[in-house]
Amino acid sequence: DISIGVLVDDFMIPFGRQSVPVVDSGLIAGIISLEDVQRVRRDLWEDTPVSSVMTTTPLFAVGPNDSMTAVVEMITQHFVNQVLVLDTGVFVGVVTRADVTRFLQVRETLSRRR
C-alpha cells in the first residue's frame, strides 16, 4: 500500500492524472481522485496510505466490449470523470471524459469526409 505522497509524486503529477485506479492482484480495489487526496492535510501525505482514503464504492465500470455510448451514458448519469474497464472483475483500463471527447471529435471529423 503506497502513500498519498508517492501516488501524487509518481503517478498523478507526472502523468497529469486526476484519478488513479487502485489494483490489488489484478482486481480493482478502488479509485483515488484529486478530491480524495485534497481531504488529507499535505503534511500527512507521506504517512497516509492510499487505501485509507480511496473510493471503494460506488465504482462505475463497463466491460471491454461495451460501446462508447454506454461509457458516455455512465459518465453523464453519474457525473464522474472516468469509467473503469473491467473484465470479470479484472482491471483492464480507464476511459476518461477526455477520451470520450477525442472519440467524438474523431468520429465527427471522419463523418464529414463521406
Side-chain angles (χ1 to χ4, degrees), residues 21-32:
V22 181
V23 179
D24 184 12
S25 302
L27 299 176
I28 194 74
I31 192 164
I32 185 163

Side-chain angles (χ1 to χ4, degrees), residues 6-83:
V6 170
L7 172 83
V8 169
D9 292 340
D10 292 356
F11 297 98
M12 292 183 129
I13 292 173
F15 299 104
R17 299 300 308 256
Q18 293 186 16
S19 64
V20 177
V22 181
V23 179
D24 184 12
S25 302
L27 299 176
I28 194 74
I31 192 164
I32 185 163
S33 67
L34 289 176
E35 293 80 16
D36 296 326
V37 169
Q38 289 174 320
R39 284 191 223 115
V40 178
R41 286 191 351 233
R42 175 67 180 98
D43 62 314
L44 298 177
W45 284 5
E46 294 307 321
D47 298 319
T48 304
V50 166
S51 62
S52 69
V53 295
M54 70 183 182
T55 299
T56 57
T57 184
L59 296 176
F60 300 102
V62 294
N65 297 317
D66 288 341
S67 69
M68 190 60 84
T69 301
V71 172
V72 170
E73 287 174 0
M74 191 163 289
I75 285 175
T76 56
Q77 287 176 1
H78 299 288
F79 305 103
V80 293
N81 290 315
Q82 66 282 317
V83 173

Side-chain angles (χ1 to χ4, degrees), residues 106-114:
V106 168
R107 188 173 72 177
E108 174 65 23
T109 299
L110 292 174
S111 69
R112 283 188 259 135
R113 296 243 173 205
R114 291 183 183 180

